[in-house]
Amino acid sequence: MNKSPLPRLLLAVLAVIAIWSLVLCWVYLNRAKQVRDTQMMTNLMNSRQQFFVMLVNDCNEYAKHSPAMEQLLRSLSTGPQAAALTAPAAKPPTK
């Protein structure tokens, strides 16, 4: 009497599906780790940028009281006033 090949076929399909599930799980875990690492780096860069902006703002405020700091900021060309500080004065139009 011939045995049916259906159980072996179903077992092979089950094995392929199980292996594919493990592969997808591994890919998901790696991608989740990459996302987590990227978010940490983004948060770090944002905090450093905020610190730098606060530092430049504080320097600009201090420059209002100290001309030496204004010269330093002009040499570094930072802050919102950098373009005004480094740009040459506009000449009046001549006829």
Side-chain angles (χ1 to χ4, degrees), residues 39-76:
Q39 286 174 341
M40 287 174 41
M41 289 300 293
T42 304
N43 289 339
L44 180 64
M45 287 188 289
N46 285 339
S47 65
R48 285 183 181 174
Q49 182 183 13
Q50 288 173 354
F51 174 76
F52 183 72
V53 167
M54 289 188 316
L55 180 65
V56 169
N57 289 340
D58 287 345
C59 289
N60 284 331
E61 286 296 318
Y62 185 74
K64 292 177 182 176
H65 305 290
S66 174
M69 181 58 102
E70 184 176 340
Q71 291 174 356
L72 177 66
L73 288 174
R74 187 177 295 138
S75 70
L76 294 175

Side-chain angles (χ1 to χ4, degrees), residues 1-55:
M1 189 153 199
N2 291 334
K3 291 188 177 181
S4 174
L6 186 63
R8 287 185 185 176
L9 179 66
L10 291 176
L11 187 58
V13 169
L14 179 65
V16 169
I17 290 173
I19 290 172
W20 186 247
S21 294
L22 290 175
V23 168
L24 289 178
C25 182
W26 182 76
V27 168
Y28 172 78
L29 292 175
N30 282 339
R31 296 287 166 91
K33 183 182 180 297
Q34 287 176 352
V35 168
R36 189 172 52 247
D37 292 345
T38 305
Q39 286 174 341
M40 287 174 41
M41 289 300 293
T42 304
N43 289 339
L44 180 64
M45 287 188 289
N46 285 339
S47 65
R48 285 183 181 174
Q49 182 183 13
Q50 288 173 354
F51 174 76
F52 183 72
V53 167
M54 289 188 316
L55 180 65

